[in-house]
Amino acid sequence: MAVADASMALKNFEIANNIETLESDQIFEYDLDAQRAYLSAKPWLKDPHYFKRVKISALALLKMVMHARSGGTLEVMGVMQGKIEENTLVVLDSFELPVEGTETRVTALDEAYEYLVQYHIGCEKVGRVENVVGWYHSHPGYGCWLSGIDVNTQMTNQQNQEPFLAIVIDPTRTCAAGKVEIGAFRTYPKDYKAADAGPSEYQSIPLDKIEDFGVHCKHYYPLEVSYFKSSLDTHLLNLLWNKYWINTLSSSPLLNNREYTVNAIADMAKKVESAESQLSHSSRSFGYHLPQQQKKEESPLNQIIKDSSKTAVEQVHGVMNQIVKDVLFSARA
């Protein structure tokens, strides 16, 4: 019965995150000559938007999510291995680095770099030829975007070890929503000026982080993220899922995310006050006329409505989660 429950939960996880099951294991094949050809041609130097997509194996995704969750309110960091395809970076595996931080201050320490070198040497000894294609870190409770330090770190990585990808995971919102909250990004060259275009999708960012987000959001762009699995990694995925499933069963999103929920409600209250102040000022100055910049983007009130709806949905998800567990374990008692 427990095995069936875990299997059903895994299927729900795959559906929620649109994980594609591949009929062939070809995606795991590593053509060394083809990779060298990409590295020699360096098409990303000619086109800052060359990489448009990232494909992540379900196994690598689950490892990153579990690592991010293990950090709690601390940021954690890891590295991804994979390969290059046309306009696409493929993430085949991920591993943790011994790095922790607070808020938007994750930095790779000397021991992390030493660990990375030793790991790479170990991979070569066992015949693993995949290159490191990026790094990931967590933003517990404040969304998937790059802070100023993240942007500088990613720029340095792209200058020294291209091609390189940055991934951000929010484990708190993942736990609250039941779907992985993730973002994949690449930075622009230093002197590149990005086109003045609004964000493709609104995301809730705490008021105390908005300035950091706004100052640096034009220095990088998001990539389309998709997930896959095949018969080659299914066994390992099932083994790892059992551990993830046990941790999920033994925890409650409502209890674990109490601080996050309280902070989210307090943040919305501050945003309401700020929006009220802006609206009052604009009504006196422009006769209820919104500034042109706000017309282009989205009014603060609409953003607050989206934030409140998101928080409400997360709470409903937490209640449903708890009801299912109560029914599940009561039926066995």
Side-chain angles (χ1 to χ4, degrees), residues 56-65 91-94 233 237:
I56 305 175
S57 76
L59 182 62
L61 175 67
L62 189 57
K63 288 172 70 175
M64 290 189 286
V65 170
V91 176
L92 301 175
D93 199 4
S94 63
D233 62 347
L237 181 63

Side-chain angles (χ1 to χ4, degrees), residues 219-235:
H219 296 293
Y220 60 90
Y221 71 95
L223 282 74
E224 177 187 334
V225 181
S226 63
Y227 313 107
F228 66 88
K229 73 168 191 173
S230 75
S231 60
L232 196 61
D233 62 347
T234 296
H235 180 62

Side-chain angles (χ1 to χ4, degrees), residues 209-225:
K209 302 272 192 275
I210 286 179
E211 183 178 355
D212 192 16
F213 170 78
V215 169
H216 302 98
C217 65
K218 297 296 183 182
H219 296 293
Y220 60 90
Y221 71 95
L223 282 74
E224 177 187 334
V225 181

Side-chain angles (χ1 to χ4, degrees), residues 179-200:
K179 178 182 178 182
V180 178
E181 187 89 5
I182 190 171
F185 311 99
R186 275 180 56 83
T187 52
Y188 294 118
K190 189 173 182 180
D191 298 325
Y192 181 84
K193 290 187 177 180
D196 187 14
S200 57

Side-chain angles (χ1 to χ4, degrees), residues 60-312:
L61 175 67
L62 189 57
K63 288 172 70 175
M64 290 189 286
V65 170
M66 291 180 67
H67 182 208
R69 283 183 62 173
S70 71
T73 57
L74 292 176
E75 291 189 12
V76 297
M77 175 180 166
V79 178
M80 301 170 293
Q81 289 178 288
K83 63 179 184 177
I84 312 165
E85 291 183 353
E86 186 175 1
N87 302 118
T88 305
L89 285 166
V90 182
V91 176
L92 301 175
D93 199 4
S94 63
F95 62 93
E96 304 174 10
L97 289 180
V99 176
E100 288 183 345
T102 57
E103 297 188 340
T104 50
R105 298 293 181 267
V106 165
T107 54
L109 305 177
D110 291 340
E111 57 265 33
Y113 283 122
E114 183 179 349
Y115 181 91
L116 177 57
V117 170
Q118 293 301 320
Y119 185 90
H120 188 65
I121 292 173
C123 287
E124 290 181 343
K125 287 182 179 179
V126 298
R128 291 201 59 175
V129 294
E130 299 94 342
N131 288 324
V132 171
V133 294
W135 67 300
Y136 71 88
H137 72 285
S138 60
H139 275 187
Y142 42 93
C144 300
W145 48 280
L146 297 184
S147 68
I149 287 182
D150 298 338
V151 168
N152 290 333
T153 300
Q154 179 61 17
M155 281 184 171
T156 301
N157 286 328
Q158 289 184 207
Q159 289 170 3
N160 297 310
Q161 46 188 334
E162 277 279 55
F164 218 75
L165 172 74
I167 279 183
V168 182
I169 294 175
D170 188 333
T172 306
R173 294 185 180 181
T174 295
C175 183
K179 178 182 178 182
V180 178
E181 187 89 5
I182 190 171
F185 311 99
R186 275 180 56 83
T187 52
Y188 294 118
K190 189 173 182 180
D191 298 325
Y192 181 84
K193 290 187 177 180
D196 187 14
S200 57
E201 184 177 349
Y202 171 74
Q203 62 171 316
S204 176
I205 298 174
L207 197 60
D208 61 347
K209 302 272 192 275
I210 286 179
E211 183 178 355
D212 192 16
F213 170 78
V215 169
H216 302 98
C217 65
K218 297 296 183 182
H219 296 293
Y220 60 90
Y221 71 95
L223 282 74
E224 177 187 334
V225 181
S226 63
Y227 313 107
F228 66 88
K229 73 168 191 173
S230 75
S231 60
L232 196 61
D233 62 347
T234 296
H235 180 62
L236 288 175
L237 181 63
N238 289 336
L239 291 176
L240 191 62
W241 176 261
N242 289 334
K243 182 179 179 181
Y244 179 83
W245 176 234
I246 290 172
N247 291 338
T248 302
L249 280 178
S250 61
S251 63
S252 167
L254 293 176
L255 296 177
N256 291 350
N257 292 342
R258 281 180 299 182
E259 184 179 355
Y260 160 70
T261 303
V262 170
N263 290 338
I265 294 172
D267 184 68
M268 281 186 282
K270 292 178 183 178
K271 288 179 178 178
V272 168
E273 291 178 3
S274 176
E276 185 179 15
S277 175
Q278 290 180 27
L279 189 60
S280 175
H281 175 74
S282 62
S283 66
R284 289 194 302 268
S285 303
F286 305 102
Y288 295 101
H289 177 69
L290 284 175
Q292 191 65 27
Q293 183 65 25
Q294 286 189 11
K295 279 185 176 181
K296 275 186 181 180
E297 298 171 356
E298 190 169 17
S299 75
L301 289 177
N302 283 340
Q303 293 177 354
I304 294 167
I305 290 171
K306 288 187 176 182
D307 287 353
S308 60
S309 297
K310 181 176 179 295
T311 302

